[in-house]
Amino acid sequence: MDKINRRLMLGGLGMVGAGVAGAVRAQSTGQRNGVSANTAPSGPEPSARHRLRFAVIGLDHPHIYSMTDALIRGGGTLVAVHTSDSRQLARYLARYGDVKVARTEAEVLDDESVQLVASASIPQLRAPLGIRVMRAGKDFLSDKPGITSLAQLAEVRRTIAATGRKFAIMYSERLEVRAAVKAGELVRAGAIGRVIQTINIAPHRMSAPNRPEWFWDVGNYGGILTDIGSHQADQFLFYTGSTEAHVVASQVGNLDTPDHPNFQDFGDMTLSGNGGTGYVRVDWFTPDGLPTWGDGRLFILGTEGYIELRKYVDIQGRPGGDHLLLADRKGTSYIDCSNVPLPFGPQFVSDVVERTQDAQNQAQALLAAELVLTAQAKASKLVNGPRPVLQGG
């Protein structure tokens, strides 16, 4: 381990308990996606058919831990990390150990042995970084939202066409949640007939004291629909099988966060595609009494039945997350999805090596981004004014 790695690790160890473990537990164990809050994966899963070398640039969101873990499980070897924040770096190195610390972005991009770069930098910086990565001849995996403006989206599409590289987006609420993976298997098997609608309800806990300053300015993350809503747009497209879609209506607002006027704490949108329709509600109103960061729910309506997912918590029933409820022509059933395999890591590494699109379809990933960017741009603004007095007894 070089001197800079050792110094940063020692300097950050006092923060590891509250930093790494807390962040990774909230993102991973709370979702029951098989990622340990305490240690990184020991190596590839048995299903991993390929190996690749990858680097990380940007540690601004703790999603980077589950992203890194997924790549390691898929056959990736983490060879370098770059960030300008020494506190973030100390936490990251405490989890992943003897990793080369790149002093500049160029040091990573100029390394011809690096095949893929992953990033959870500040959202507005992700697409420009991905463009530089692709121009350097490497593939890119971004945390969501990978793109925060329609201008960025247009440039990403031009760069993909020019370079032939991948711009992947980690929509973890589908790709790294076992119940969501199982729902996809059931839909593809025709368990509920033809899917005609999805409804996504996606509340999040604000945890205001732990948020960085950039979190509160819509300019940094593109707005609540662009940010949180990207997960739900991805699920709408995937489960309905839509290859074309448009925004019917959308709205956003700051309803109860007066200390941060440039923040959005509520939003919803209605979508329509050539495979079905979708409704999405996103918010930052998870109550403190809930034992997880959000009671994420997904309803998939088919012509012969429906599926309900309680992804992260059953508030008055079974412990843990990954609960799937199924109603079809034969009756009703419950499926515990806590042991369903997570295929994204091995599939994505294979996609990079073989130039396939099994883990994520490139057009679908960018269409999900286009939908939320369009919804954000056309959204009506909800006004936080005085509430009317209720009438009647």
Side-chain angles (χ1 to χ4, degrees), residues 128-141:
L129 171 62
I131 290 166
R132 296 192 297 273
V133 168
M134 290 188 290
R135 289 174 177 167
K138 308 177 193 306
D139 294 313
F140 184 63
L141 175 63

Side-chain angles (χ1 to χ4, degrees), residues 50-358:
H50 295 286
R51 303 293 182 265
L52 61 72
R53 291 165 60 86
F54 74 97
V56 167
I57 299 176
L59 308 174
D60 295 284
H61 198 290
H63 286 167
I64 194 62
Y65 294 99
S66 60
M67 294 168 64
T68 302
D69 285 1
L71 290 171
I72 293 173
R73 298 197 315 269
T77 297
L78 175 63
V79 297
V81 57
H82 170 68
T83 180
S84 58
D85 189 322
S86 61
R87 290 166 60 91
Q88 295 171 351
L89 184 57
R91 297 170 183 171
Y92 193 79
L93 294 176
R95 181 173 176 85
Y96 297 105
D98 191 10
V99 180
K100 174 185 176 182
V101 176
R103 290 167 172 79
T104 65
E105 176 186 302
E107 191 175 335
V108 174
L109 299 188
D110 292 342
D111 185 344
E112 294 184 357
S113 74
V114 173
Q115 299 161 268
L116 171 77
V117 174
S119 179
S121 55
I122 295 173
Q124 68 166 341
L125 304 178
R126 294 170 188 170
L129 171 62
I131 290 166
R132 296 192 297 273
V133 168
M134 290 188 290
R135 289 174 177 167
K138 308 177 193 306
D139 294 313
F140 184 63
L141 175 63
S142 174
D143 185 17
K144 68 80 207 167
I147 302 167
T148 59
S149 73
L150 289 168
Q152 285 186 350
L153 175 61
E155 186 59 26
V156 165
R157 282 176 164 153
R158 284 193 291 267
T159 307
I160 291 170
T163 65
R165 309 315 302 182
K166 293 181 181 293
F167 189 106
I169 302 173
M170 177 59 100
Y171 295 120
S172 58
E173 289 192 21
R174 176 173 65 85
L175 298 171
E176 287 287 288
V177 172
R178 298 178 190 273
V181 172
K182 184 63 176 179
E185 294 174 358
L186 291 170
V187 166
R188 288 192 297 272
I192 57 172
R194 179 172 57 87
V195 173
I196 55 178
Q197 187 198 41
T198 61
I199 297 176
N200 282 89
I201 301 174
H204 284 57
R205 176 174 285 124
M206 189 173 293
S207 302
N210 300 322
R211 296 293 181 175
E213 192 60 34
W214 63 260
F215 174 82
W216 302 108
D217 189 340
V218 68
N220 292 322
Y221 64 90
I224 191 169
L225 296 177
T226 296
D227 180 19
I228 302 177
S230 61
H231 281 302
Q232 283 65 50
D234 164 73
Q235 291 168 75
F236 154 71
L237 293 174
F238 178 76
Y239 293 116
T240 65
S242 293
T243 57
E244 300 174 3
H246 66 276
V247 178
V248 177
S250 56
Q251 54 187 357
V252 297
N254 182 326
L255 302 183
D256 196 41
T257 316
D259 292 341
H260 299 283
N262 291 324
F263 184 68
Q264 294 173 353
D265 56 23
F266 180 91
D268 68 357
M269 57 184 172
T270 302
L271 308 171
S272 181
N274 58 354
T277 66
Y279 172 76
V280 172
R281 191 202 81 202
V282 291
D283 67 75
W284 288 99
F285 292 114
T286 291
D288 291 341
L290 197 73
T292 188
W293 57 267
D295 184 10
R297 282 164 284 174
L298 168 63
F299 303 85
I300 307 172
L301 176 64
T303 55
E304 299 177 12
Y306 65 86
I307 292 169
E308 177 185 351
L309 302 187
R310 299 297 294 254
K311 294 182 179 180
Y312 314 121
V313 63
D314 183 351
I315 62 172
Q316 280 286 289
R318 301 170 181 88
D322 287 306
H323 307 287
L324 187 151
L325 304 171
L326 171 66
D328 59 19
R329 289 181 173 179
K330 298 177 182 179
T332 62
S333 58
Y334 166 79
I335 301 176
D336 178 0
C337 301
S338 59
N339 293 316
V340 172
L342 295 171
F344 175 79
Q347 286 181 348
F348 184 65
V349 169
S350 293
D351 280 351
V352 171
V353 174
E354 299 178 2
R355 311 316 293 170
T356 52
Q357 298 189 46
D358 293 330

